[in-house]
Structure formats: C-alpha cells, structure tokens
Amino acid sequence: MTTVRISDDALALACGADAVAAAFTAAGATVERVSSWGMHWLEPLVEVGGIGWGPVGPGDVQAILDGGLDAKCIGPVAAHPFIMRQQRFTFARAGKTRPLNLDDYAATGGWDGLRKAREIGPEAIVETVTASGLRGRGGAGFPAGIKWKTVAGAAGGEKYIVCNADEGDSGTFADRMVMEGDPFMLIEGMAIAAEAVGAQRGYVYIRSEYPHAIAKMQAAIAASAEIVAPFELEVRVGAGAYVCGEETSLLNSLEGKRGEVRAKPPLPAIEGLFGKPTVVNNVLTLAAVPWILANGADGYAEVGFGRSRGTMPIQIAGNVKHGGLFEVGFGITLGELVNDIGGGTASGRPVRAVQVGGPLGAYHPPSDFHLPFDYEAFAAADGLIGHAGIVVFDDTVDMAAQARFAMEFCAAESCGKCTPCRLGAVRGMEVIDRIRSGAGRQLETIERMPQMHNMPKQGRDPAEEIALLTDLCETMKFGSLCALGGFTPYPVMSALKHWPEDFGAT
Ligand code: SF4
C-alpha cells in the first residue's frame, strides 16, 4: 500500500491538508502526518517515497497515486533548492518526522543533548552554551549562557524555566513550527536548561491564537514526562497581548496578574517568576540547545557572522513568491533572502520595501539589500532583526499608511504604564493622519477644546507636522519603559526617511 506523507501543522491545515489527507485515505493509501518542510508556497505538500507534489488539492490525489501530475511534481523533496541552500540545525527534522512520535524523535538524535547534559553536569552545560555563542532568538540577542549562569549562581532553592512562546510578530511562524512540528526538541532544550540552573519546574507560555501548538505541546509534555523527570513542565495559555512577549509582562501574566511590564532591576534571572530566579528564553533559543549539547559548541560557533553565531530560522512572508522557513547561518544578505530565496514578489511587481523584525522593525528599501543578516549590522542601519521575520511589499504599498499602522498597533497593544507609549502612539496616529490628509491642525478642534485655546489658530504646514512626528518618535524611543513604545519609532522613522514622498515631503 502506498504511504503518503502530509504535514499536519497549522499552515498546512489552513491550506487544506486535512481534505487532501482524507482523499488519499479514501483512495486506499496510508497517510502519515508529519511536520512541515517549511516550503509554505507548496502546501499542502504531499510526499510519496521521497518525491513531492505541491500545492495539492483533493482532485489531484488519483493522478499522484498513478505516478503522474508532473506539473505539480517537485522531484525529491530533500534535494529541493530551497532546502539544499539551508543549514538546518534547529529544523533538521522538519518534514521528516511525526511530531508526537517518540521513536521518530529518538531515531533522529532526540535526547542525545539531554543525555550529554546529564553526563557533564551544570557548570559544563553553561560553559558549552556560552562557548557556542548562542544569543536569545526572541529579538534581544542577549547571550543565553550569561543568563543561565546568572540563574545558576542565584541564591534560592526554587528556580524556574519559562519558555516565551508568545510569538506575535507579523510574518513570524518559526516558534509555531517548532511546537507543532518538533515539540520534543523544545522540551529537551528546557530540560537541559533545568539541569544547568537547578530548576524543578518549567512553563511554556503560548498565546491562545495558537490552538494547534497548545495541543501538540500538551500531548508532547505528557508523552515525555518520564524522560525529563524530575523536571516538570506545563503549558500556560495567554490571551494574546503583544506586550506579554516582553519577559517581565509575561511573568506577570503567568502569575495571574495584569500583563504589565515590570521595571528592571531586579532582573528575572535574580527575581523572576513568583520572585524566584528564572530563565526566560524564547522557543528558538531553547530549541537550539539540544543540537549544541549533542554536537558540541564548536560546530555551532563556527557558523555565523560577527558576534551572531550559529543559524537563524528566518521567516519569509508577505508579497513574496516563495514564502517559508529558511534556516541559515547569520550573514546572508537581505537581498539574497528576498530575491534569490523568496523569488521576489508574488505579484511580479518591483519590491519597494521589506520590513524586518516584526511590526516594530524598520522598513528597508532595496538599497539596503547588501545588509548581512546580523544583529549588529541591522542595528547600525537603524533597524533590527528581532525574531527574524521579513515581510515583503511591492511598489503599490503606501508607506505613510504603514507608518500609521505602526502607531495604531502600539496604541492598541500598549499596556498603559508609561506616557510616551500610551499617549505618544495616539498622538502619532493623529499627526500622521493630518500629514496624509494635508489638513494641518484642525482649527475646529482648537475651538472646541478650552485647554487648547492658547494654541496658534492656524494649521501647521507639512514640514512642521513632520518635525513634530520626528520629535514624538524621539520621545517614544528614549522615554518608553519597554520595546513596544521604544521600537515603534523604527517603522515610522524608516518609512519617513526612505519614502518621504509618501508623506508629501519630497
Ligand atoms: S512602552 Fe508601552 S507597553 Fe511598554 S511599559 Fe510603556 S506603556 Fe507599557
């Protein structure tokens, strides 16, 4: 009987993978549900004996079983150029294993890292992670080994491992793919962290918008409980506030409090969850750890660029031909990602802008395509790589509207604790609205509000409004307590800098 492999991750399901699987079953084939290769433009991707077809619909099933449908055949999936160009450390199992099958996991090197960690003990684990150069993949890029060392050395018996799985950036899906496609790898990474710092309990904080990831993680935690014991793990579901991706808000939310940012110090590594020393790491950070322990720090550290060592699972999305998950060593250029790997825009029109690093990342014009994908290189170009999501726009995009969206997003997601963010984002929307409408300050507003009667009774010209927007962005950048308010100026100012014509300022 023919065995057909089809992904059961959320993206494949959204593309109709269940209906395709049902059609194969009805036609007498055996269907195996596996993780996704990350070639999202080909989902639902169907694999028979290593040969792939995609995107497949239920009507294509019989032709595939008959060995036909050449138009959708991509040949050997593992040899596809999109896969061959990658360096897959974290996503080495993607597309190859059944996510909740412990035998598949063990047969592909699963638990080797944890075994090694238990052999070498806490100090050597921390040394290995430090030597690998692994930096937090959630966006901040802080060295994981230093964080772990701080928690390991902190006083207090009870310690925690918290996995930040509150993936909320536009165009990002790597955390979701780990949790849905290779959940034991994340559990293993957390168990290694627990060995390193002496933690007894761990929490995976996932937003409610990720029901498939929640279900997979819960099932995987139950299936692997004996292997990771005495370390205990639990999934906690957040309501989906962007600011809960900030580690101190996340901890408040985990404690059942309002998801509001805490002032630092104290660092969570010293006083974190329930006031105890806590490792808070993103999914990709923890998922990179089993490979490092199993294969050694050197193999990881020798890949990368500058101070950014190892690989980064980059998520290519937006108006792009070949959207998907592309894991590669740091240093690949933005232009290679967009044009060579992404294949340019899906619309076929010229690329105008690429937003890197989520909704608070800067917009980059094609003149930035030489930038190597690296924390420092993007920071030097007034940008950030964040969680490594890139969203491509063609030449029909209105960059002033995108800038307004950044302010609107910040206003909607602000926790309200500090003024530059809470009020600045609302004022930012208003200024951009005035710029876009060319209205200047509305005189009737001044007339209507007594507290504004001392304001000049005339509209501002566009140059004044743009100066006001710039000043407001500076205030938000330097006066906000956390990254939400502090980074919102990045998309706004980059849009203004590179596309002033969209703001009426040429
Ligand atoms: S910057 Fe915004 S989200 Fe962050 S603490 Fe201030 S008000 Fe809250």
Side-chain angles (χ1 to χ4, degrees):
M1 191 182 288
T2 307
T3 299
V4 181
R5 293 156 74 88
I6 305 171
S7 170
D8 67 350
D9 88 341
L11 185 125
L13 295 181
C15 294
D18 274 350
V20 175
F24 272 109
T25 305
T30 301
V31 175
E32 258 184 12
R33 302 308 293 264
V34 289
S35 50
S36 169
W37 284 92
M39 296 191 283
H40 289 164
W41 78 99
L42 292 172
E43 292 288 5
L45 174 65
V46 163
E47 203 180 329
V48 182
I51 304 297
W53 286 262
V56 169
D60 298 327
V61 164
Q62 198 53 53
I64 292 171
L65 289 174
D66 293 342
L69 198 65
D70 291 350
K72 291 189 178 180
C73 184
I74 60 165
V77 183
H80 192 282
F82 189 84
I83 301 296
M84 292 294 283
R85 289 188 68 172
Q86 300 189 42
Q87 287 164 294
R88 287 199 157 181
F89 289 1
T90 303
F91 282 87
R93 287 185 200 87
K96 299 174 185 168
T97 55
R98 292 165 289 180
L100 292 173
N101 189 299
L102 277 168
D103 293 337
D104 282 10
Y105 188 65
T108 48
W111 312 119
D112 286 357
L114 180 59
R115 247 189 312 274
K116 180 79 179 182
R118 285 174 171 164
E119 267 167 43
I120 63 177
E123 247 176 72
I125 301 171
V126 173
E127 271 168 29
T128 304
V129 172
T130 305
S132 75
L134 177 67
R135 295 167 72 177
R137 296 293 193 256
F142 188 78
I146 293 178
K147 192 181 270 190
W148 289 21
K149 190 173 184 179
T150 308
V151 177
E158 212 167 350
K159 295 174 184 177
Y160 295 103
I161 309 296
V162 171
C163 173
N164 181 351
D166 192 59
E167 185 170 65
D169 280 2
S170 37
T172 59
F173 40 81
D175 291 358
R176 180 187 63 69
M177 284 184 64
V178 167
M179 292 188 283
E180 293 178 2
D182 203 355
F184 296 127
M185 175 174 59
L186 177 57
I187 292 168
E188 186 178 356
M190 292 181 75
I192 293 168
E195 288 283 331
V197 304
Q200 297 78 31
R201 282 194 71 78
Y203 296 91
V204 187
Y205 183 91
I206 313 175
R207 56 174 51 214
S208 57
E209 286 98 329
Y210 273 16
H212 301 100
I214 292 166
K216 282 265 178 64
M217 283 309 303
Q218 285 171 333
I221 287 169
S224 61
E226 279 181 27
I227 298 169
V228 300
F231 181 55
E232 290 181 0
L233 260 172
E234 198 181 309
V235 169
R236 286 287 174 91
V237 179
Y242 189 80
V243 77
C244 286
E246 207 287 331
E247 61 179 0
T248 57
S249 302
L250 188 155
L251 293 174
N252 268 357
S253 176
L254 260 180
E255 290 178 8
K257 297 173 186 158
R258 186 185 154 106
E260 204 176 56
V261 172
R262 297 178 188 173
K264 288 193 270 192
L267 293 170
I270 309 290
E271 275 182 47
L273 189 63
F274 305 118
K276 306 292 182 192
T278 304
V279 168
V280 186
N281 277 146
N282 157 266
V283 171
L284 295 179
T285 317
L286 291 160
V289 168
W291 192 98
I292 292 167
L293 266 292
N295 297 282
D298 291 349
Y300 198 80
E302 69 191 22
V303 173
F305 182 89
R307 286 174 47 217
S308 305
R309 310 313 308 165
T311 61
M312 188 76 201
I314 297 166
Q315 300 122 88
I316 306 172
N319 186 345
V320 67
K321 223 173 261 167
H322 300 151
L325 189 286
F326 193 87
E327 183 177 356
V328 70
F330 287 97
I332 187 169
T333 66
L334 183 58
E336 283 177 271
L337 286 166
V338 173
N339 289 325
D340 301 350
I341 293 149
T345 62
S347 63
R349 300 182 66 90
V351 174
R352 188 170 194 220
V354 182
Q355 190 176 30
V356 181
L360 309 182
Y363 288 96
H364 297 270
S367 57
D368 276 354
F369 278 9
H370 64 284
L371 285 176
F373 212 79
D374 160 71
Y375 291 100
E376 280 71 33
F378 269 74
D382 292 330
L384 49 109
I385 63 171
H387 189 41
I390 71 173
V391 181
V392 180
F393 297 82
D394 73 12
D395 62 350
T396 60
V397 65
D398 174 348
M399 295 309 296
Q402 293 303 118
R404 200 233 188 237
F405 170 72
M407 288 291 188
E408 188 185 348
F409 179 81
C410 182
E413 295 287 344
S414 172
C415 83
K417 187 156 180 160
C418 58
T419 314
C421 169
R422 185 182 68 244
L423 297 185
V426 178
R427 297 288 93 86
M429 276 195 291
E430 293 168 356
V431 178
I432 296 172
D433 283 346
R434 290 201 299 270
I435 293 171
R436 294 182 75 211
S437 69
R441 179 177 289 283
Q442 297 296 318
L443 295 181
E444 63 272 26
T445 308
I446 296 174
E447 295 300 335
R448 194 162 24 90
M449 302 182 74
Q451 67 270 36
M452 295 176 76
H453 278 172
N454 60 348
M455 299 296 292
K457 303 287 190 296
Q458 61 193 29
R460 290 194 182 93
D461 67 31
E464 284 179 308
E465 294 287 11
I466 286 170
L468 182 64
L469 181 62
T470 306
D471 191 38
L472 179 63
C473 282
E474 291 287 300
T475 306
M476 289 176 72
K477 189 170 171 181
F478 296 110
S480 296
L481 192 57
C482 85
L484 180 56
F487 285 7
T488 295
Y490 280 75
V492 177
M493 292 311 296
S494 59
L496 190 53
K497 176 180 166 189
H498 297 295
W499 299 275
E501 64 276 18
D502 287 17
F503 294 79
T506 44

